[in-house]
């Protein structure tokens, strides 16, 4: 199992390029199931989750042509299988995103329930309830969702919890339904907007993406498109936090500062100087130690849960006490026990972590448990005294393209060991 060995103490300086957003590329790849003609998707990050999604779509019959830059042509004229088996879905929960497209275009789907993961039970009841409201006949047994529909019809769907992939699944399904669907309390994440823009370029009629109410007027069929995935705001935020923690100066390029206002505000509060252009952000910490900040995670545009572990790591070495409340997932503090082993002073009270910043963390062997927790541990290693070994980094490879290459480019001492 791969490990990362990181020697702490170097301020990060320099420039890196941000990759396409994993959480936009995944639903956009699934949406190619809806199109009668080929689609060309570019700026797709080279990540394990992307490979998993493509192998799942491939076994359904999508033919892929991929170039060396991972520009992808997807042909969906010969879909012959409508199943997403457990052995694939258990490795990547986002496989659930094939459910809406399969039912909408082919009237049938047999998709394994994703099951929980390290950060929570992560049910998909809202995906199922929404498709049922659109006329799908759904049966859940033996760990599988069996869905059938002659043709989905429009419906008004109130989602009682804001769900990103739930909104995405239902928006894709509604694009080919007969009539108008309104999604109330919809997720507003930029990745939802990116999917909506991609669907519109395929011929879908969608209004309100990015707001809490999305209106979709179904059409008879959708055509392939040529679409470039938006930049990854969480990768962007992660490297900016790395610069803040190490007192360095980093410019992230091929990104969009408008996607992470809540994160940038917190880094300004921590004492960073931030300048921004239309596709870059530069953060300069001028060698200073960050000040502790208080965080309350919530759906977009509030502070993203996917940046919580990274800010926990920053608060661990910041000046002062930081309070951090996680409201989206019920078990997203797995990184805290690992940070405590590095000397962090953190107390958990329910879903709030009270973090008393210390001057220095100590290197220690630590273990990644989920994608963003592992990012938090890598950040902590960058400022710890000594060489930290981060184990089970297959988690990190799911969401960060070439992380050791990009961190080395910024002056970190990091290497992978097998
Ligand atoms: C998406 O997961 C992201 N994944 C997650 O990123 C991200 O953390 C999450 O949204 C929140 O922003 C992808 O986009 C592939 P949710 P998703 O449905 O859609 C509850 C990463 O690090 N819920 O928005 O699965 C659920 O339990 C990953 O890249 C229901 O109760 O998250 C949770 O408490 C981790 N019933 C809350 O809603 C449902 O039917 C938000 O979950 C659906 C969700």
């Amino acid at each position: 199992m791969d490990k990362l060995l990181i020697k702490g103490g170097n301020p990060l300086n320099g420039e890196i390029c941000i990759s396409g957003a994993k959480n936009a590329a995944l639903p956009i790849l699934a949406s190619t199931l809806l199109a009668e003609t080929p689609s060309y998707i570019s700026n797709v990050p080279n990540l394990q989750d992307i490979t998993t999604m493509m192998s799942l779509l491939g076994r359904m019959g999508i033919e892929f042509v991929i170039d060396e830059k991972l520009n992808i042509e997807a042909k969906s004229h010969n879909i012959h299988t409508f199943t997403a088996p457990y052995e694939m879905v258990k490795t990547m929960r986002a496989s659930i995103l094939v459910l809406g497209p399969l039912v909408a275009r082919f009237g049938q789907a047999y998709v394994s329930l994703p099951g929980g993961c390290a950060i929570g039970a992560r049910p998909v009841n809202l995906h199922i309830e929404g498709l049922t409201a659109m006329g799908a006949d759904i049966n859940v047994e033996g760990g599988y969702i069996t869905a059938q529909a002659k043709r989905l019809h429009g419906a008004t769907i109130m989602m009682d919890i804001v769900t990103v992939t739930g909104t995405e699944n239902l928006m894709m399904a509604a694009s080919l339904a007969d009539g108008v669907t309104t999604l109330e309390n919809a997720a507003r994440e930029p990745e939802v907007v990116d999917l909506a823009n991609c669907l519109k370029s395929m011929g879908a009629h969608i209004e309100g993406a990015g707001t809490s109410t999305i209106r979709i007027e179904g059409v008879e069929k959708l055509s392939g498109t040529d679409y470039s995935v938006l930049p990854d705001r969480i990768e962007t935020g992660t490297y900016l936090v790395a610069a803040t923690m190490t007192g360095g100066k980093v410019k992230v390029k091929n990104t969009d500062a408008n996607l992470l206002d809540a994160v940038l505000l917190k880094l300004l509060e921590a004492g960073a100087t931030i300048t921004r252009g239309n596709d870059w952000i530069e953060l300069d910490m001028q060698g200073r130690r960050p000040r502790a900040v208080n965080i309350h995670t919530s759906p977009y545009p509030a502070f993203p849960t996917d940046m919580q572990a990274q800010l926990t790591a920053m608060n661990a070495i910041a000046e002062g006490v930081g309070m951090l409340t996680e409201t989206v997932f019920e078990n997203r503090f797995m990184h805290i026990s690992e940070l405590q082993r590095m000397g962090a002073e953190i107390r958990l009270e329910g879903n709030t972590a009270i973090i008393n910043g210390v001057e220095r963390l100590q290197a220690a062997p630590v273990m990644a448990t989920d994608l963003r927790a592992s990012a938090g541990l890598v950040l902590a290693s960058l400022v710890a005294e000594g060489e930290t070994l981060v184990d089970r980094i297959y988690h990190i490879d799911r969401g960060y393209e070439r992380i050791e290459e990009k961190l080395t480019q910024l002056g970190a001492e990091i290497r992978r060991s097998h």
Side-chain angles (χ1 to χ4, degrees):
M1 207 178 283
D2 278 9
K3 302 170 178 59
L4 282 179
L5 287 156
I6 302 162
K7 196 170 172 312
N10 299 9
L12 296 192
N13 290 293
E15 299 188 355
I16 51 161
C17 283
I18 295 298
S19 304
K22 166 178 83 79
N23 290 351
L26 291 171
I28 286 170
L29 284 169
S31 75
T32 59
L33 284 167
L34 295 164
E36 308 280 332
T37 51
S39 293
Y40 303 86
I41 313 295
S42 53
N43 199 33
V44 176
N46 185 2
L47 296 170
Q48 181 55 50
D49 275 10
I50 299 296
T51 310
T52 304
M53 177 62 84
M54 289 172 69
S55 52
L56 174 62
L57 294 170
R59 76 190 306 278
M60 290 176 183
I62 289 203
E63 291 164 30
F64 288 109
V65 177
I66 307 161
D67 74 11
E68 70 292 340
K69 290 206 195 78
L70 205 58
N71 295 315
I72 295 169
E73 179 186 16
K75 299 177 185 168
S76 50
H77 58 280
N78 178 26
I79 305 296
H80 47 68
T81 303
F82 310 112
T83 299
Y86 178 60
E87 64 271 9
M88 297 198 82
V89 175
K90 72 179 178 188
T91 63
M92 187 189 62
R93 307 186 65 269
S95 312
I96 190 75
L97 285 164
V98 303
L99 178 63
L102 287 174
V103 181
R105 185 166 170 222
F106 305 104
Q108 57 181 309
Y110 185 62
V111 176
S112 165
L113 280 169
C117 73
I119 62 178
R122 303 191 65 185
V124 290
N125 58 304
L126 298 173
H127 301 236
I128 292 167
E129 287 161 25
L131 288 171
T132 306
M134 286 196 248
D137 179 22
I138 296 194
N139 194 6
V140 180
E141 65 179 70
Y144 276 80
I145 302 164
T146 307
Q148 275 157 343
K150 274 210 179 345
R151 184 181 181 195
L152 294 175
H153 57 69
T156 294
I157 299 165
M158 164 55 80
M159 292 180 280
D160 55 13
I161 298 179
V162 174
T163 162
V164 172
T165 48
T167 301
E168 292 166 344
N169 238 335
L170 298 178
M171 192 163 66
M172 288 190 280
S175 298
L176 287 180
D178 179 16
V180 174
T181 298
T182 303
L183 302 180
E184 296 290 357
N185 197 26
R188 299 170 54 188
E189 272 68 6
E191 293 75 29
V192 174
V193 177
D194 210 33
L195 172 64
N197 291 336
C198 180
L199 290 169
K200 286 193 274 193
S201 71
M202 290 177 169
H205 296 168
I206 300 174
E207 290 157 12
T211 75
S212 304
T213 301
I214 303 178
R215 185 180 181 281
I216 306 108
E217 187 179 348
V219 294
E220 290 301 315
K221 57 172 65 175
L222 294 171
S223 316
T225 184
D226 188 338
Y227 196 80
S228 178
V229 171
L230 97 169
D232 193 315
R233 62 192 167 97
I234 304 301
E235 186 192 19
T236 301
T238 302
Y239 286 107
L240 293 176
V241 171
T244 308
M245 290 175 69
T246 58
K249 180 177 178 181
V250 167
K251 184 174 188 177
V252 288
K253 301 184 294 186
N254 295 2
T255 189
D256 177 351
N258 300 315
L259 300 176
L260 62 161
D261 283 338
V263 175
L264 297 181
L265 279 174
K266 286 297 171 185
L267 296 180
L268 286 169
E269 215 180 294
T273 304
I274 295 176
T275 47
R276 50 200 280 182
N278 65 350
D279 66 351
W280 58 268
I281 305 167
E282 182 168 77
L283 184 145
D284 188 356
M285 202 56 189
Q286 293 150 352
R288 291 194 304 267
R289 180 183 174 195
R291 289 192 294 270
V293 295
N294 294 330
I295 303 283
H296 192 282
T297 70
S298 271
Y300 195 87
F303 191 90
T305 173
D306 289 351
M307 283 297 302
Q308 180 259 103
Q310 298 91 317
L311 267 289
T312 306
M314 189 194 83
N315 272 344
I317 49 96
E319 221 168 289
V321 178
M323 310 274 285
L324 202 144
T325 302
E326 171 59 57
T327 72
V328 177
F329 290 111
E330 65 269 28
N331 186 34
R332 205 171 198 177
F333 281 132
M334 310 274 275
H335 43 290
I336 286 186
S337 51
E338 299 303 290
L339 290 171
Q340 287 168 331
R341 296 180 59 241
M342 297 175 76
E345 291 177 15
I346 305 176
R347 193 172 82 250
L348 263 183
E349 285 181 9
N351 65 341
T352 295
I354 297 108
I355 306 159
N356 178 31
V358 294
E359 285 268 345
R360 302 285 294 172
L361 293 174
Q362 307 304 320
V366 291
M367 185 174 72
T369 50
D370 61 87
L371 167 54
R372 304 304 173 184
S374 45
L377 295 174
V378 168
L379 295 182
S381 310
L382 293 172
V383 296
E385 221 155 285
E387 186 173 65
T388 298
L389 180 146
V390 184
D391 203 349
R392 300 193 177 182
I393 56 148
Y394 57 87
H395 290 292
I396 209 155
D397 291 335
R398 296 185 50 181
Y400 290 90
E401 189 176 4
R402 294 178 288 116
I403 187 164
E404 64 263 36
E405 189 183 311
K406 293 191 183 185
L407 283 174
T408 303
Q409 219 174 302
L410 296 174
E413 288 184 56
I414 177 171
R415 62 192 171 85
R416 183 179 289 254
S417 85
H418 305 286

